[in-house]
Amino acid sequence: MTNKDARTPASTQNPTETSADGEAGKSIGWHKAYVEGPRPDLRVPVRQVHLTNGQSVTLYDTSGPYTDPLVETDVRRGLAPLRENWIIARGDTEEYAGRPVRPEDDGIKHTSPRGGLRNLDAVFPGRPRQPRRGREGRAVTQLAYARRGEITPEMEFVAIRENVSPEVVREEIAAGRAVLPANVNHPEIEPMIIGKRFLVKVNANIGNSAVTSSIEEEVEKMTWATRWGADTVMDLSTGRNIHTTREWVLRNSPVPIGTVPLYQALEKVDGRAEELTWEIYKDTVIEQAEQGVDYMTVHAGVRLAYVPLTANRKTGIVSRGGSIMAAWCLAHHKESFLYENFEELCEILAAYDVTYSLGDGLRPGSIADANDEAQFAELRTLGELNTIAKRFNVQTMIEGPGHVPMHKIKENIDLQQEICDEAPFYTLGPLTTDVAPAYDHITSGIGAAMIAWWGTAMLCYVTPKEHLGLPNRDDVKTGVITYKIAAHAADLAKGHPGAQEWDDALSDARFEFRWEDQFNLALDPDTAREFHDETLPAEPAKTAHFCSMCGPKFCSMKISQDIRREHGGSRAEIEEGMAQKSKEFAAAGNRVYLPIAD
Amino acid sequence: MTNKDARTPASTQNPTETSADGEAGKSIGWHKAYVEGPRPDLRVPVRQVHLTNGQSVTLYDTSGPYTDPLVETDVRRGLAPLRENWIIARGDTEEYAGRPVRPEDDGIKHTSPRGGLRNLDAVFPGRPRQPRRGREGRAVTQLAYARRGEITPEMEFVAIRENVSPEVVREEIAAGRAVLPANVNHPEIEPMIIGKRFLVKVNANIGNSAVTSSIEEEVEKMTWATRWGADTVMDLSTGRNIHTTREWVLRNSPVPIGTVPLYQALEKVDGRAEELTWEIYKDTVIEQAEQGVDYMTVHAGVRLAYVPLTANRKTGIVSRGGSIMAAWCLAHHKESFLYENFEELCEILAAYDVTYSLGDGLRPGSIADANDEAQFAELRTLGELNTIAKRFNVQTMIEGPGHVPMHKIKENIDLQQEICDEAPFYTLGPLTTDVAPAYDHITSGIGAAMIAWWGTAMLCYVTPKEHLGLPNRDDVKTGVITYKIAAHAADLAKGHPGAQEWDDALSDARFEFRWEDQFNLALDPDTAREFHDETLPAEPAKTAHFCSMCGPKFCSMKISQDIRREHGGSRAEIEEGMAQKSKEFAAAGNRVYLPIAD
């Protein structure tokens, strides 16, 4: 490899760099750095890995300001509103009083004898702000801008991040093949893009539930997930303090935040699905849009007529949102209020540039139910809704399964792309077998890699706790890393420009026994280092030209290095010089392995 | 599901069963059981899972007598020689004095001042035995029997295990599309088959190295790996006590044992590859064949002319055996002694029914090197050697890569099947990216599932320690479970008869909140139970009709059960009854969730 930056992928400009000691580009390891954009307030974060051979590798970075030692972060104040000036400069949005926050937004009942917010300390103390929305008659979504031919600073930002031209970004968004989720009320994010022509993205779910977890834990899970590579985070809280938890998460998140508004709406009616109304739902969507939620899962494809299609399934409806809507339809024997009011919902989402994630409420929950009539009936409806959303300039992605055996995966992505005009597919796994609870990050990582290779734009992670319990910190990390593997494997298989340079840099380090470089280039440097040290803990082993697998006596890599030394060059040169080299090799004592002390 | 045995797969006969309390078919959980064959000494072990609903599920079982509470095992005596009478009854083998065991077999140098076996306690104390081999002029391999139209007890055994007719087993072996590795000197094994028409198999590697590990640890790793589902085990020891370690492993192993004889041969010349000779190698092969090794990796495809093809690779030669042979060729500038003496080697292997695993010494060690000229040149030679081996009635499988990005995987299996006349492919992974050291069980599990779907017959596991260190007990388990997932996902995708019944049984249990059944049906019941209990530890939670994800208030599965209760039946009945049912539903209080105490 020549002494150039290998990056995966970023611009060809040299990133500036910040490190703990302020000394740029010297020390070995990895540091936060920035690629400067065409304007001073556009700096794209990257992870800069400095190798022991003097080279450096630039990697995509999702970790936000938390990994920048020069930025002081305070979860009580929130992150700096990077995009605020861009949004204001467009002049098409306005601040307004907004919807008053009510106790029931946090799951506190009016009738509760305790009354009011249970935990006043939990209210987010950060800077006061008013919500913002599009001015009357102005289309303020990235889709609207792209369709008008405008390249926004957000698009320029992701162009640098993805190492493509801003025009490619604009085109993909305009065509509806990519989304750039960026609510005008979430100025803290570092813009990112979701589409099949870009790097495959990974979402991590967090969220408290009725059973366990606190606000602090959820904020910590969000920063932890992005630290390991989550591109977006969904807050799926269902317990108490939903509004407040979300506020803390949003104000501190450098990545887009997704939600399922239906979950909160259900809490507002105390879990009685049949008491849900369009008004309660709509109010919840506005509440969340004002807070800054970037994309919302909407299960508007679960229509009344599809509910019976699930009756003879092995595992019925496993999507929580899907079953809530099914229960509502069942109780009222009426068409879904989400389907019926979809156009009005589009108008609301458009005003804040909230992106749709059209939920697959009827996704299969078992191998037996994969690709059945219920699933595909809903998919066809999602295609119809996608068309409507686009009419309202609402960015849209489509959610996908679920549990699907390998031979039925491709049909899912092919159908979705056809039915939904190539709108980004956002899949949960899929899980390729049901028999391994506690390992569903792996059963689903297999399916995720395959479906991403075939075109899925974003993968929703699955943790080892899937089906069993709520993920803790370790589970979140394992889920994210597993899905980064699936995403990167897909980037490689798709031939994404620059993707292989990362593998090449690590393989070069491996071949040359640069252990520290291998660790620093790894998706998870900490665990790689820890595993190495378990077998060969001594410091010298990290520079030794052998590893614990073969030991010091005989080493495959060492022999290969000898071969390269002797046979590097053209085929002709190699053939010609081989006999001669063989003699030299013998004369030098046939040193194909290192001397040992044994 | 009807009240029948769902099995994956076994015969339709009812298994007899042994359990700790001797009470058959009553208690909940899983127990060792046996399916009786057509003769009294042919009993096929299965894992019988008893469900709380009175049904039972029969699963393939690799764990040997260790999980049978009625069998007393003693690692110092070894397992009972199940196949001994079958072998003797054929009358085509004979006992003979055998090759004397020498100190250097255990890595003790003649010149060592310490002399003799370092650790006399380590010598296997089990019953005395003489080695056995085919009588002059008799072809004693399963391939020879199959070609003659004979169905051996071993074939009957695997037919029951795989739930196919014995004739299918015979045909597949006769055609060279499957192997049944069963050295006449390893009568302890429970026969198994490797071929694309059968369940995908998993191999686990164990073995000490120059750096670490003891005999006891290796035996323990073997029983541990088979406990979790390893179908074969390779002993890749390279340190001291290689002969003795192998003896202990073989005498205690219920699964076929594979080795790479070259590793031990190299130890005998003190790690100096250039001092290897055909005589030393041949002597080592005989030594191991006499002990009972069932299959041997032979890197006879690494020819002199291919070595230069690796010179400009990113990671050269990463196969240890491949690099030893390359070093030898390089040192002598001569054709490989393995290639030159391949026919004589065939004669030796045939005499013991040792199966070839033709090694891919030039497999790629990085994404960059996948599917290159070196790799495919060797594959073509393996095809040529496969043809020769078959002439000598030697069962043969072919080893495959390595590091391969997803889009290049299919070419590997397709080429191998074409070039090697559909001989079973036995692949290491492949790893689909290089960037995740410490997670290579996952990077490779993705590739393994895909290549197995497309036809690979056996997968060599990769543990989280790959590239970093030697696997410990936990790593072995993680590697095996990950690969069982890949193998089963492939069985599903191939539509293997009965494979989905396992998934269906677990999904039924999930849908009906039968937590204990979910655990007992899981690939790893212990971890599934542990994860569940982390969030909901109380005993009642294991029978509760909810889980920690949604909590007791609202539950997707519960709603689906309501839907099924109301809408089960034909489409017409459903449509017709829907409005009526809806009214009943409302009248009953819209109970789509459980009452809660909150």
Side-chain angles (χ1 to χ4, degrees):
Chain A
M1 203 164 88
T2 54
N3 195 352
K4 65 174 174 65
D5 276 2
R7 58 184 56 184
T8 306
S11 90
T12 47
Q13 298 162 61
N14 283 324
T16 56
E17 181 176 336
T18 59
S19 66
D21 55 8
E23 195 189 12
K26 288 286 180 61
S27 49
I28 305 312
W30 62 270
H31 300 95
K32 185 81 167 194
Y34 296 90
V35 178
E36 305 289 344
R39 43 193 287 174
D41 61 351
L42 205 162
R43 300 165 71 230
V44 177
V46 292
R47 175 172 175 156
Q48 190 78 11
V49 185
H50 300 281
L51 308 181
T52 54
N53 65 359
Q55 296 177 4
S56 78
V57 177
T58 304
L59 302 175
Y60 193 102
D61 180 54
T62 58
S63 62
Y66 301 102
T67 50
D68 185 342
L70 300 188
V71 175
E72 209 177 304
T73 58
D74 176 354
V75 290
R76 298 178 63 82
R77 282 192 300 126
L79 298 178
L82 287 181
R83 292 170 59 232
E84 194 168 58
N85 291 337
W86 307 346
I87 295 165
I88 292 170
R90 285 194 276 264
D92 52 4
T93 56
E94 60 188 358
E95 288 188 330
Y96 69 110
R99 171 192 172 284
V101 177
R102 295 188 283 263
E104 58 265 39
D105 297 345
D106 266 329
I108 316 294
K109 290 166 220 162
H110 278 297
T111 55
S112 165
R114 292 186 292 264
L117 286 175
R118 251 160 144 184
N119 177 7
L120 283 173
D121 288 345
V123 174
F124 183 70
R127 69 198 161 75
R129 53 178 281 282
Q130 275 204 316
R132 180 177 288 280
R133 68 181 170 201
R135 290 182 197 276
E136 188 65 31
R138 305 293 294 271
V140 301
T141 70
Q142 297 288 326
L143 174 56
Y145 303 140
R147 282 173 163 176
R148 291 202 295 259
E150 284 174 32
I151 291 173
T152 61
E154 287 87 347
M155 296 177 202
E156 301 212 48
F157 192 100
V158 302
I160 295 171
R161 259 187 140 166
E162 300 273 348
N163 208 11
V164 297
S165 77
E167 181 53 24
V168 167
V169 172
R170 192 201 62 75
E171 273 172 21
E172 292 296 301
I173 294 172
R177 287 189 298 265
V179 295
L180 194 164
N183 185 324
V184 295
N185 291 307
H186 195 195
E188 295 90 348
I189 58 164
E190 296 166 345
M192 53 78 71
I193 194 162
I194 302 164
K196 64 183 172 182
R197 283 190 61 180
F198 305 100
L199 290 166
V200 175
K201 302 304 186 296
V202 170
N203 172 70
N205 293 332
I206 60 167
N208 64 2
S209 86
V211 178
T212 179
S213 190
S214 75
I215 291 175
E216 293 75 11
E217 269 178 62
E218 299 315 314
V219 175
E220 165 63 16
K221 272 187 205 161
M222 179 274 295
T223 56
W224 181 244
T226 55
R227 161 72 187 75
W228 292 109
D231 294 284
T232 76
V233 166
M234 289 194 79
D235 177 3
L236 302 183
S237 294
T238 61
R240 294 274 182 207
N241 299 321
I242 295 187
H243 180 98
T244 305
T245 302
R246 190 169 50 234
E247 187 68 24
W248 282 73
V249 168
L250 278 163
R251 300 287 76 81
N252 285 292
S253 174
V255 302
I257 296 296
T259 60
V260 185
L262 197 59
Y263 291 0
Q264 187 181 9
L266 185 73
E267 296 298 319
K268 291 181 182 175
V269 294
D270 207 24
R272 287 186 276 270
E274 73 281 4
E275 290 185 11
L276 281 169
T277 63
W278 164 240
E279 286 65 35
I280 290 169
Y281 183 84
K282 180 171 120 178
D283 179 62
T284 306
V285 166
I286 292 170
E287 170 191 349
Q288 298 195 6
E290 287 180 350
Q291 284 187 290
V293 169
D294 301 287
Y295 65 90
M296 297 183 187
T297 295
V298 177
H299 297 93
V302 181
R303 298 189 58 180
L304 175 65
Y306 306 156
V307 177
L309 300 180
T310 66
N312 294 315
R313 275 181 159 186
K314 187 147 292 276
T315 46
I317 301 177
V318 295
S319 152
R320 194 164 186 274
S323 62
I324 293 168
M325 290 313 299
W328 189 92
C329 293
L330 210 65
H332 298 277
H333 192 58
K334 280 170 69 175
E335 184 57 274
S336 153
F337 63 81
L338 293 177
Y339 182 80
E340 296 276 305
N341 296 284
F342 192 73
E343 297 203 350
E344 189 178 348
L345 192 56
C346 289
E347 282 172 5
I348 298 166
L349 265 57
Y352 304 90
D353 199 4
V354 174
T355 297
Y356 268 125
S357 185
L358 294 177
D360 57 335
L362 303 182
R363 67 167 177 269
S366 57
I367 292 298
D369 294 341
N371 296 19
D372 72 353
E373 200 188 343
Q375 186 194 337
F376 288 150
E378 181 186 31
L379 181 57
R380 283 186 293 272
T381 299
L382 299 186
E384 176 196 323
L385 298 174
N386 174 58
T387 306
I388 296 170
K390 296 291 167 59
R391 239 177 36 227
F392 287 84
N393 281 316
V394 182
Q395 304 188 80
T396 304
M397 52 187 176
I398 310 292
E399 295 186 11
H403 292 237
V404 185
M406 284 191 284
H407 64 300
K408 293 187 176 176
I409 290 177
K410 195 154 189 306
E411 186 183 4
N412 277 276
I413 173 81
D414 290 348
L415 260 184
Q416 182 275 337
Q417 288 287 290
E418 184 194 323
I419 291 172
C420 303
D421 297 330
E422 300 182 82
F425 206 22
Y426 168 27
T427 60
L428 178 73
L431 287 72
T432 54
T433 168
D434 306 335
V435 301
Y439 297 84
D440 279 327
H441 58 306
I442 297 176
T443 66
S444 68
I446 292 167
M450 293 171 71
I451 202 164
W453 168 27
W454 291 326
T456 281
M458 183 156 79
L459 302 168
C460 183
Y461 87 167
V462 172
T463 78
K465 290 283 166 60
E466 183 76 12
H467 297 121
L468 296 169
L470 291 174
N472 61 24
R473 195 179 149 94
D474 284 348
D475 299 318
V476 167
K477 177 176 169 182
T478 301
V480 172
I481 298 274
T482 302
Y483 271 69
K484 292 301 275 190
I485 288 169
H488 183 68
D491 291 336
L492 284 174
K494 287 162 72 177
H496 193 88
Q500 196 182 310
E501 289 176 37
W502 186 6
D503 298 70
D504 289 353
L506 198 142
S507 289
D508 281 331
R510 185 169 279 157
F511 188 67
E512 291 164 14
F513 292 99
R514 288 184 273 113
W515 287 102
E516 284 296 337
D517 292 347
Q518 287 184 63
F519 303 148
N520 290 323
L521 284 164
L523 256 182
D524 177 1
D526 303 352
T527 307
R529 184 176 281 109
E530 180 193 317
F531 281 4
H532 174 269
D533 289 0
E534 253 179 50
T535 315
L536 284 175
E539 197 51 39
K542 294 211 197 66
T543 51
H545 278 200
F546 66 91
C547 60
S548 54
M549 281 72 79
C550 292
K553 239 169 140 181
F554 185 90
C555 169
S556 308
M557 288 285 193
K558 188 65 181 53
I559 285 197
S560 293
Q561 289 176 7
D562 290 336
I563 293 169
R564 178 180 292 185
R565 201 155 37 244
E566 305 207 354
H567 294 293
S570 73
R571 183 74 181 270
E573 287 167 344
I574 289 167
E575 299 277 339
E576 190 187 37
M578 194 153 175
Q580 173 57 26
K581 290 290 183 187
S582 170
K583 281 177 208 151
E584 291 171 17
F585 183 72
N590 291 317
R591 301 262 294 213
V592 290
Y593 54 90
L594 293 171
I596 51 153
D598 178 59
Chain B
M1 203 164 90
T2 55
N3 195 353
K4 65 173 177 63
D5 277 2
R7 57 185 55 183
T8 307
S11 89
T12 47
Q13 297 163 62
N14 282 324
T16 58
E17 180 176 336
T18 59
S19 65
D21 55 7
E23 196 189 9
K26 288 284 180 60
S27 50
I28 304 312
W30 60 271
H31 300 96
K32 186 83 168 192
Y34 296 90
V35 177
E36 306 289 343
R39 43 193 288 175
D41 61 350
L42 204 161
R43 300 166 71 231
V44 178
V46 292
R47 176 173 174 156
Q48 189 79 10
V49 185
H50 300 282
L51 307 183
T52 53
N53 64 359
Q55 297 176 3
S56 77
V57 178
T58 304
L59 302 175
Y60 193 101
D61 179 55
T62 59
S63 62
Y66 301 103
T67 49
D68 186 342
L70 300 187
V71 174
E72 207 177 304
T73 57
D74 175 353
V75 290
R76 300 178 63 81
R77 283 190 300 126
L79 298 178
L82 286 181
R83 292 170 58 231
E84 195 167 56
N85 291 336
W86 306 347
I87 295 164
I88 291 170
R90 287 194 276 263
D92 53 4
T93 55
E94 62 187 359
E95 288 190 332
Y96 68 111
R99 169 192 172 285
V101 177
R102 294 189 284 264
E104 58 267 39
D105 297 344
D106 264 331
I108 317 292
K109 293 166 214 160
H110 279 298
T111 54
S112 163
R114 292 186 291 263
L117 287 174
R118 250 160 144 184
N119 176 8
L120 284 173
D121 288 343
V123 173
F124 183 71
R127 71 201 159 75
R129 54 178 280 281
Q130 276 205 316
R132 180 177 288 281
R133 68 182 170 201
R135 290 183 196 277
E136 187 66 31
R138 305 292 294 271
V140 302
T141 68
Q142 297 287 328
L143 174 56
Y145 303 141
R147 282 173 163 175
R148 290 202 297 259
E150 286 174 31
I151 290 173
T152 61
E154 287 87 347
M155 295 177 204
E156 301 213 47
F157 192 101
V158 302
I160 294 171
R161 260 188 140 166
E162 300 272 347
N163 207 13
V164 297
S165 77
E167 181 53 23
V168 166
V169 172
R170 191 201 62 75
E171 271 173 21
E172 291 298 301
I173 295 172
R177 287 190 296 265
V179 296
L180 194 164
N183 186 323
V184 295
N185 291 307
H186 194 193
E188 295 89 348
I189 59 164
E190 295 166 345
M192 53 77 71
I193 193 162
I194 303 165
K196 64 182 171 182
R197 284 190 61 180
F198 305 101
L199 289 166
V200 174
K201 302 304 187 297
V202 170
N203 171 69
N205 293 331
I206 60 167
N208 63 3
S209 85
V211 177
T212 180
S213 189
S214 74
I215 291 174
E216 291 75 11
E217 271 178 59
E218 298 315 314
V219 175
E220 164 65 15
K221 272 187 207 162
M222 179 273 295
T223 54
W224 181 244
T226 56
R227 162 72 187 74
W228 292 108
D231 294 285
T232 75
V233 166
M234 289 195 79
D235 177 4
L236 303 182
S237 293
T238 61
R240 295 275 183 205
N241 300 322
I242 293 187
H243 180 97
T244 304
T245 301
R246 189 168 50 235
E247 187 69 22
W248 282 74
V249 169
L250 278 162
R251 299 289 74 82
N252 286 293
S253 174
V255 302
I257 296 295
T259 60
V260 185
L262 197 60
Y263 290 1
Q264 186 181 11
L266 185 73
E267 296 297 319
K268 291 180 181 175
V269 294
D270 206 24
R272 284 184 279 269
E274 74 281 4
E275 290 184 13
L276 281 168
T277 63
W278 164 240
E279 286 68 32
I280 290 168
Y281 183 85
K282 180 171 120 176
D283 179 63
T284 305
V285 166
I286 292 169
E287 170 191 350
Q288 299 195 5
E290 289 180 347
Q291 284 186 290
V293 169
D294 301 286
Y295 66 90
M296 296 183 188
T297 296
V298 177
H299 296 93
V302 181
R303 299 189 58 180
L304 175 65
Y306 305 156
V307 177
L309 300 181
T310 67
N312 294 316
R313 274 181 159 186
K314 187 146 293 274
T315 46
I317 301 175
V318 295
S319 150
R320 194 163 185 273
S323 63
I324 293 168
M325 290 313 298
W328 189 91
C329 292
L330 210 68
H332 298 277
H333 194 58
K334 281 169 70 174
E335 185 56 273
S336 154
F337 62 82
L338 292 176
Y339 182 81
E340 296 276 305
N341 296 283
F342 191 75
E343 297 202 349
E344 189 177 348
L345 192 56
C346 289
E347 284 172 2
I348 298 166
L349 265 57
Y352 303 91
D353 199 5
V354 174
T355 297
Y356 268 125
S357 185
L358 294 178
D360 57 335
L362 303 182
R363 69 168 176 267
S366 56
I367 292 297
D369 294 342
N371 296 19
D372 71 353
E373 200 187 343
Q375 186 195 338
F376 288 151
E378 181 186 33
L379 181 58
R380 283 186 292 272
T381 298
L382 299 186
E384 177 195 323
L385 298 174
N386 174 57
T387 305
I388 296 170
K390 296 291 167 59
R391 237 176 39 227
F392 287 84
N393 281 317
V394 182
Q395 303 188 81
T396 303
M397 53 185 173
I398 311 291
E399 295 185 12
H403 292 237
V404 185
M406 284 191 284
H407 63 301
K408 292 188 177 175
I409 290 176
K410 194 153 191 306
E411 186 182 5
N412 278 275
I413 174 81
D414 289 348
L415 259 183
Q416 182 274 338
Q417 288 287 291
E418 183 195 324
I419 291 172
C420 303
D421 297 330
E422 299 182 83
F425 206 21
Y426 168 27
T427 61
L428 177 74
L431 287 70
T432 53
T433 168
D434 305 336
V435 302
Y439 298 84
D440 279 327
H441 57 308
I442 298 175
T443 66
S444 69
I446 293 167
M450 293 171 70
I451 203 165
W453 168 26
W454 291 326
T456 282
M458 184 158 76
L459 301 168
C460 182
Y461 88 165
V462 171
T463 78
K465 290 284 165 62
E466 183 77 12
H467 296 122
L468 295 170
L470 291 174
N472 61 24
R473 193 178 151 93
D474 284 346
D475 298 319
V476 167
K477 176 176 169 183
T478 302
V480 171
I481 298 275
T482 303
Y483 272 67
K484 292 301 274 190
I485 289 169
H488 183 67
D491 290 337
L492 284 175
K494 287 162 73 175
H496 193 89
Q500 195 181 311
E501 290 177 36
W502 186 5
D503 298 70
D504 288 352
L506 198 141
S507 290
D508 281 331
R510 186 169 280 156
F511 187 66
E512 292 164 13
F513 291 99
R514 288 184 271 113
W515 288 102
E516 284 298 336
D517 292 348
Q518 287 184 63
F519 303 148
N520 289 323
L521 284 164
L523 256 182
D524 176 1
D526 302 353
T527 307
R529 184 176 281 108
E530 181 193 316
F531 280 4
H532 174 270
D533 290 359
E534 252 179 52
T535 315
L536 285 175
E539 196 54 38
K542 293 210 196 64
T543 50
H545 277 200
F546 66 92
C547 60
S548 55
M549 282 73 78
C550 292
K553 240 169 138 181
F554 185 90
C555 170
S556 308
M557 289 285 193
K558 186 67 182 52
I559 285 197
S560 293
Q561 290 177 6
D562 291 334
I563 294 169
R564 178 180 293 184
R565 200 155 39 240
E566 306 206 356
H567 295 293
S570 74
R571 183 73 182 270
E573 287 167 342
I574 289 168
E575 300 277 339
E576 190 187 37
M578 195 151 175
Q580 173 57 26
K581 290 290 183 187
S582 171
K583 281 177 210 151
E584 290 171 20
F585 184 72
N590 293 314
R591 300 261 295 212
V592 291
Y593 53 90
L594 293 171
I596 51 155
D598 179 58

